[in-house]
Amino acid sequence: MNTLIVLGPLLISIGALATLIQFEERYPRVVRALCAALCVFLAARYVWWRFEYSIPQHQNVYQQAWAWFFFAFEGLSIISATSVLFFMSRRETQRSTANTPPELADAPVDVFIATYNESMQVLERTIVGAKAINHKDLRVWVLDDGARDWVRDLADELGALYVR
């Protein structure tokens, strides 16, 4: 029975999160705000526990100062995390704009393949993979640091541009 009392907040939190997830599609802002509030509540409960039960008592001055110093920094990190929760719970969903193509989708794209000591099989697969990118204005460049004639011939054969 004592274990259930200790695990009670954890079990209630898991149940609340599982319930909130069911409504995320219909009420995204409310669900985000409630999840953030739950996290803030748990963080506040942790700070209370840390202050009440975890700070050592009857230590020498240096040990006591170190414990309070650490507690202060831990509290500041919890305040920082809480502010992140506050701002993230208010952001708008981007699902509708994520599926629309950006205006720059028609901009030319250059793919650079830098090579020095790769074998022909590796380089050929890389060029073929780069040429398979689905874009209407795509240029594949093979940048050869080794000054090898067979790389120039391979790039020309596969339709890539070559720079030595």
Side-chain angles (χ1 to χ4, degrees), residues 16-29:
L17 285 174
T19 304
L20 286 173
I21 289 172
Q22 302 300 317
F23 298 104
E24 198 272 329
E25 285 290 324
R26 212 176 309 161
Y27 309 106
R29 295 187 77 184

Side-chain angles (χ1 to χ4, degrees), residues 11 18 32 39 45 49 80 89-90 101 117 129 137:
L11 297 175
R32 279 196 307 266
C39 290
R45 186 181 184 284
W49 170 84
S80 172
S89 70
R90 288 176 171 26
N117 222 6
D137 192 6

Side-chain angles (χ1 to χ4, degrees), residues 72-161:
F73 273 102
E74 195 172 19
L76 289 174
S77 87
I78 289 173
I79 289 170
S80 172
T82 302
S83 66
V84 168
L85 286 171
F86 175 75
F87 289 114
M88 292 302 289
S89 70
R90 288 176 171 26
R91 79 167 176 83
E92 295 292 325
T93 54
Q94 302 294 322
R95 288 186 184 148
S96 62
T97 58
N99 294 329
T100 59
E103 293 80 23
L104 298 177
D106 296 334
V109 172
D110 291 319
V111 176
F112 298 111
I113 302 171
T115 178
Y116 177 71
N117 222 6
E118 290 80 17
S119 66
M120 180 183 274
Q121 293 84 10
V122 170
L123 194 54
E124 182 178 15
R125 278 194 245 160
T126 305
I127 295 170
V128 168
K131 293 291 289 179
I133 294 173
N134 186 14
H135 194 275
K136 65 181 177 180
D137 192 6
L138 175 73
R139 293 177 296 214
V140 176
W141 295 82
V142 177
L143 310 175
D144 185 17
D145 288 347
R148 298 167 289 176
D149 291 332
W150 66 266
V151 175
R152 181 191 62 224
D153 297 338
L154 179 66
D156 188 42
E157 176 186 326
L158 295 174
L161 301 166

Side-chain angles (χ1 to χ4, degrees), residues 20-67:
L20 286 173
I21 289 172
Q22 302 300 317
F23 298 104
E24 198 272 329
E25 285 290 324
R26 212 176 309 161
Y27 309 106
R29 295 187 77 184
V30 173
V31 169
R32 279 196 307 266
L34 289 174
C35 286
L38 179 65
C39 290
V40 169
F41 169 74
L42 292 174
R45 186 181 184 284
Y46 171 75
V47 169
W48 169 77
W49 170 84
R50 183 83 167 86
F51 176 76
E52 190 70 28
Y53 296 107
S54 177
I55 298 291
Q57 301 296 323
H58 312 297
Q59 303 288 325
N60 69 33
V61 174
Y62 298 114
Q63 292 171 329
Q64 198 70 33
W66 175 253

